[in-house]
Amino acid sequence: MDHRNFDVRYTNEEKGKGLFAFAAIKEGDVILEEEPLVCSQFSWNADYKYLACDHCLRPLETAEENACRLSGRKDLILPYLECCETKKSFITECPHCGAKYCSTKCLEKAWERYHQTLCLQMRNADINHPLIQLKETWKQMHYPPETATILLLARIVAMVNQASDRSAIISTFSQFCHKTINETQEIAHNLLGEKFVGQIDVLREMMQTAVDTQQVPQWFTPDGFRSLIALVGTNGQGIGTSAFSSWVKNVSALDLPDDQRMQVDKLIDRIYDEMEEVVGSFLNNEGSGLYVLQSSANHSCSPNAVVEFPYSNSTLVLRATKNIEPDEEICISYLDECQLERGLPCYFYIKYERVICKDN
């Protein structure tokens, strides 16, 4: 992470922390890069065969496979396959439960941080397994479009259980925004819908059955669990990855003759149209994560920075969209209707050039 151009400061009681430039930042500059403290793919997204690394959300299908699946065309052939970033030969899986990862490195990181606690220990585990029951109950409470996942909370608890310094990891999570009981309930209502508020205790009890919560009893009182949900709802950053969008980005960077450029642009537009007919706006592997630095960035309807995921995984880049002066606050938009380049997701979904910006 690059700390040279910004710092985190307390702003006021209403906004809490904020990011501020302490040196001039030019439009287009990368302000910071950050890996999530923890992230997880959405449950419905995974069940609908959006294939992503169980740790970093990197796509596990090729651009051609991705385009065929989302367009419903099995005969689709993409040119310039060298522009596809998916390395199928690197894909591996947990030997116990079969969870898939983009690399051995991601498998090892997941096992070290949380997966040892959450591993189902068998392939095709029985539907009565407590973790599967928890996920299925969550899904019935929270249909797409998804904005959160109960598995993110499970990973947070598992990280505490597996940490060599539990007090340090609990302290790290405590850095995120805290809310009062009333504010917590309002966030849960806004995030998950009216029906969910009355079922929070069901999830709390199921979580206590599925995961060892003895290390964090303060999180599993009725008020504590609502605060934990509010923490994720307030600070959770949407993540989107797409093998096809990464291919589009790389093809767009090729130096092609005009006639070939015209042909490939027409092909891309046609494929996006076909995808839109089949899956609408649900183009990507989607999930959410917690980012320590990014979570300090406040909202503005006229932001001077944007969140991107240019590496087709959960690594976040905060980039300046305007010149930023020293001591100026760095703000992003919490809305997802931003105008985007194809393949460069801003805040939540990966969208493409034809999206119209709605600046509220």
Side-chain angles (χ1 to χ4, degrees):
M1 287 179 254
D2 184 0
H3 294 266
R4 292 177 298 175
N5 292 334
F6 71 94
D7 59 5
V8 178
R9 304 178 195 168
Y10 181 80
T11 56
N12 55 50
E13 187 172 348
E14 180 181 355
K15 295 173 68 175
K17 295 183 294 185
L19 292 183
F20 290 83
F22 66 74
I25 301 174
K26 295 181 179 179
E27 178 181 351
D29 283 355
V30 171
I31 301 169
L32 65 87
E33 289 189 10
E34 184 177 14
E35 292 185 5
L37 181 62
V38 60
C39 72
S40 178
Q41 187 178 9
F42 293 146
S43 296
W44 281 107
N45 190 261
D47 285 357
Y48 278 122
K49 309 303 181 185
Y50 287 78
L51 305 178
C53 173
D54 198 51
H55 180 68
C56 77
L57 268 68
R58 184 180 294 278
L60 297 182
E61 57 187 350
T62 66
E64 189 169 275
E65 290 171 338
N66 187 219
C68 288
R69 179 173 61 84
L70 294 180
S71 68
R73 286 185 53 192
K74 295 182 179 180
D75 60 341
L76 184 61
I77 298 176
L78 295 184
Y80 311 110
L81 293 182
E82 69 277 10
C83 291
C84 175
E85 296 180 359
T86 303
K87 308 299 182 187
K88 301 276 279 194
S89 61
F90 290 178
I91 295 174
T92 187
E93 60 184 45
C94 172
H96 307 292
C97 69
K100 295 186 182 299
Y101 299 90
C102 67
S103 65
T104 301
K105 184 178 180 180
C106 271
L107 168 61
E108 292 172 348
K109 283 184 176 180
W111 185 262
E112 177 184 350
R113 295 180 185 180
Y114 55 82
H115 188 66
Q116 186 174 353
T117 296
L118 301 177
C119 181
L120 299 178
Q121 295 299 322
M122 63 184 78
R123 297 168 187 266
N124 302 315
D126 187 272
I127 192 160
N128 292 318
H129 190 289
L131 275 171
I132 294 179
Q133 286 284 300
L134 177 65
K135 185 183 78 168
E136 291 303 314
T137 299
W138 169 271
K139 285 167 58 184
Q140 296 310 308
M141 294 178 180
H142 194 41
Y143 288 94
E146 297 167 273
T147 56
T149 171
I150 195 67
L151 296 183
L152 186 61
L153 274 68
R155 288 187 179 184
I156 290 172
V157 176
M159 285 180 68
V160 174
N161 290 346
Q162 291 189 210
S164 57
D165 187 343
R166 288 171 177 161
S167 61
I169 190 67
I170 292 173
S171 176
T172 299
F173 284 116
S174 72
Q175 295 177 30
F176 291 96
C177 179
H178 288 275
K179 298 292 181 180
T180 67
I181 299 304
N182 288 337
E183 289 171 328
T184 298
Q185 291 173 339
E186 183 65 20
I187 289 169
H189 171 88
N190 290 338
L191 176 64
L192 301 168
E194 294 180 2
K195 293 182 180 180
F196 182 83
V197 176
Q199 300 181 49
I200 289 177
D201 285 340
V202 173
L203 289 176
R204 178 172 63 90
E205 293 169 2
M206 294 187 73
M207 179 81 82
Q208 289 175 299
T209 300
V211 187
D212 180 5
T213 62
Q214 296 182 55
Q215 301 301 326
V216 282
Q218 70 276 19
W219 288 354
F220 285 89
T221 65
D223 290 343
F225 192 64
R226 285 170 170 79
S227 294
L228 188 61
I229 290 177
L231 183 152
V232 172
T234 304
N235 299 280
Q237 164 66 56
I239 302 168
T241 67
S242 164
F244 181 69
S245 291
S246 295
W247 176 85
V248 169
K249 178 186 67 176
N250 293 334
V251 168
S252 297
L254 294 177
D255 184 15
L256 299 176
D258 290 345
D259 59 337
Q260 293 183 31
R261 172 60 61 195
M262 184 177 298
Q263 289 178 358
V264 74
D265 284 348
K266 287 182 178 179
L267 173 64
I268 290 169
D269 285 338
R270 187 175 75 249
I271 292 173
Y272 271 124
D273 286 338
E274 292 171 348
M275 288 179 176
E276 189 171 11
E277 290 181 4
V278 176
V279 296
S281 62
F282 297 99
L283 301 179
N284 317 297
N285 306 319
E286 296 169 0
S288 64
L290 295 177
Y291 296 80
V292 174
L293 290 174
Q294 176 274 337
S295 68
S296 297
N298 288 309
H299 168 76
S300 171
C301 289
S302 181
N304 53 19
V306 65
V307 168
E308 300 174 348
F309 294 94
Y311 306 120
S312 199
N313 61 17
S314 58
T315 299
L316 175 151
V317 168
L318 186 64
R319 189 182 301 275
T321 56
K322 303 176 182 177
N323 290 335
I324 303 174
E325 300 300 322
D327 291 324
E328 183 179 352
E329 186 172 6
I330 301 166
C331 294
I332 60 176
S333 172
Y334 290 173
L335 307 177
D336 67 355
E337 290 92 357
C338 310
Q339 183 178 6
L340 313 172
E341 289 186 25
R342 287 184 290 207
L344 290 179
C346 165
Y347 187 64
F348 200 84
Y349 298 113
I350 301 176
K351 298 183 179 179
Y352 45 97
E353 289 171 353
R354 287 172 285 180
V355 173
I356 303 299
C357 180
K358 300 177 182 177
D359 192 359
N360 296 324

